[in-house]
Amino acid sequence: MLKIEKWVLGPVATNTYLVGDPDTNRAVVIDPAWDGKFLAEEIKKGGWQIQSIWLTHAHFDHFGGLADLLEALGQEKPEGFFVGLHSKGNLLWKVKGGAVMFGIKIKTAPKPDHAFTEGEILPLGNHQFIVHHAPGHSAGHVIFHCPGEKILFSGDVIFRQGIGRTDLLGGSYETLMDSIKTWVLPLPDDTRIYSGHGPETTVGAEKNGNPFISKDI
Ligand SMILES: [Zn+2]
Ligand SMILES: [Zn+2]
């Protein structure tokens, strides 16, 4: 069973997740939101080896800690290490994820060196995740689904009782609802959803209790 750790970090309380396979000590970090040095210490304490860093999308609050985390990991990165982002997130990346617009400064990190694609399989120890391109909150948004463990990392696509905002660069309400219909709602009801903000939920709970879903789907 995969181990999931969560930290709420940064100016807009973004969830950073560590997902680790205890059998191999391999782990990934999803959205290193803030406080990269702190994250590196926690990773060390847990005895994890970080094989890659997965960005759901390029809003500043989801990678504000990336530069410091990479620096702190230093040479300890294993072979094949990468930082992944969908190529449609490059534009947002270039403008630092909108940080300037919000009057926030973030440290420049090296550009992601892996472009996620729809349907891509990401192995983690003895487990596998599938990448789905789920635009609407931002053009290059992806979500990570592990069918074996029934878990979904949904970034800012869907939250408990909410959905991502669609008024920012590349946002579209219709596109977001389409992404939710295509990639989230067909999953088994007991699939746990770990969002970019707020508490965890399940597909079943959102099907029944999410006001946007009952209204529009
Ligand atoms: Zn966002
Ligand atoms: Zn966010």
Side-chain angles (χ1 to χ4, degrees), residues 30-31 54-57 86 116-122 129-146 151-158 176 178-187 191 193-196 203:
I30 301 179
D31 292 348
W54 302 349
L55 304 181
T56 57
H57 65 301
H86 192 280
F116 288 132
T117 53
E118 167 53 41
E120 180 178 358
I121 306 285
L122 300 170
F129 280 82
I130 308 171
V131 177
H132 289 302
H133 181 216
H137 169 70
S138 76
H141 200 301
V142 292
I143 59 178
F144 307 104
H145 178 221
C146 178
I151 49 177
L152 175 74
F153 291 90
S154 72
D156 289 359
V157 168
I158 185 165
L176 182 63
D178 265 354
S179 290
I180 292 171
K181 265 186 252 181
T182 308
W183 300 124
V184 181
L185 299 183
L187 301 179
T191 303
I193 301 177
Y194 295 91
S195 306
V203 169

Side-chain angles (χ1 to χ4, degrees), residues 12-15 31 57 59 61-62 137 155-156 159 196-197:
V12 288
T14 305
N15 295 332
D31 292 348
H57 65 301
H59 279 146
D61 61 307
H62 293 256
H137 169 70
D156 289 359
F159 308 117
H197 304 270

Side-chain angles (χ1 to χ4, degrees), residues 9-10 14-16 30-35 39 60-65:
L9 302 171
T14 305
N15 295 332
T16 292
I30 301 179
D31 292 348
W34 221 252
D35 300 321
L39 286 172
F60 73 90
D61 61 307
H62 293 256
F63 69 89

Side-chain angles (χ1 to χ4, degrees), residues 6-217:
K6 167 183 158 179
W7 299 278
V8 182
L9 302 171
V12 288
T14 305
N15 295 332
T16 292
Y17 296 101
L18 178 139
V19 191
D21 173 35
D23 296 332
T24 59
N25 280 344
R26 292 286 206 135
V28 297
V29 173
I30 301 179
D31 292 348
W34 221 252
D35 300 321
K37 274 184 201 142
F38 162 80
L39 286 172
E41 277 161 30
E42 292 295 307
I43 289 161
K44 213 171 184 178
K45 264 192 240 165
W48 299 109
Q49 189 184 40
I50 299 302
Q51 65 172 38
S52 46
I53 297 173
W54 302 349
L55 304 181
T56 57
H57 65 301
H59 279 146
F60 73 90
D61 61 307
H62 293 256
F63 69 89
L66 179 61
D68 280 344
L69 174 58
L70 287 174
E71 211 178 290
L73 289 177
Q75 299 307 316
E76 287 166 47
K77 299 181 203 83
E79 221 185 288
F81 177 91
F82 66 81
V83 177
L85 176 72
H86 192 280
S87 59
K88 288 202 167 147
N90 291 345
L91 182 66
L92 202 51
W93 174 271
K94 267 187 213 148
V95 297
K96 292 202 163 196
V100 181
M101 210 178 92
F102 288 90
I104 287 166
K105 268 203 168 138
I106 60 165
K107 214 166 161 180
T108 305
K111 226 179 136 228
D113 50 4
H114 176 86
F116 288 132
T117 53
E118 167 53 41
E120 180 178 358
I121 306 285
L122 300 170
L124 170 57
N126 301 315
H127 302 268
Q128 289 191 326
F129 280 82
I130 308 171
V131 177
H132 289 302
H133 181 216
H137 169 70
S138 76
H141 200 301
V142 292
I143 59 178
F144 307 104
H145 178 221
C146 178
E149 298 272 295
K150 292 191 181 171
I151 49 177
L152 175 74
F153 291 90
S154 72
D156 289 359
V157 168
I158 185 165
F159 308 117
R160 192 171 78 88
Q161 304 266 307
I163 57 168
R165 57 191 283 190
T166 54
D167 59 330
L168 301 168
L169 178 72
S172 154
Y173 182 81
E174 287 72 31
T175 308
L176 182 63
M177 294 317 275
D178 265 354
S179 290
I180 292 171
K181 265 186 252 181
T182 308
W183 300 124
V184 181
L185 299 183
L187 301 179
D189 278 359
D190 58 348
T191 303
R192 284 171 291 150
I193 301 177
Y194 295 91
S195 306
H197 304 270
E200 70 168 276
T201 182
T202 63
V203 169
E206 294 319 300
K207 259 191 210 163
N208 298 317
N210 190 308
F212 295 92
I213 289 167
S214 41
K215 191 177 74 164
D216 263 14
I217 295 179

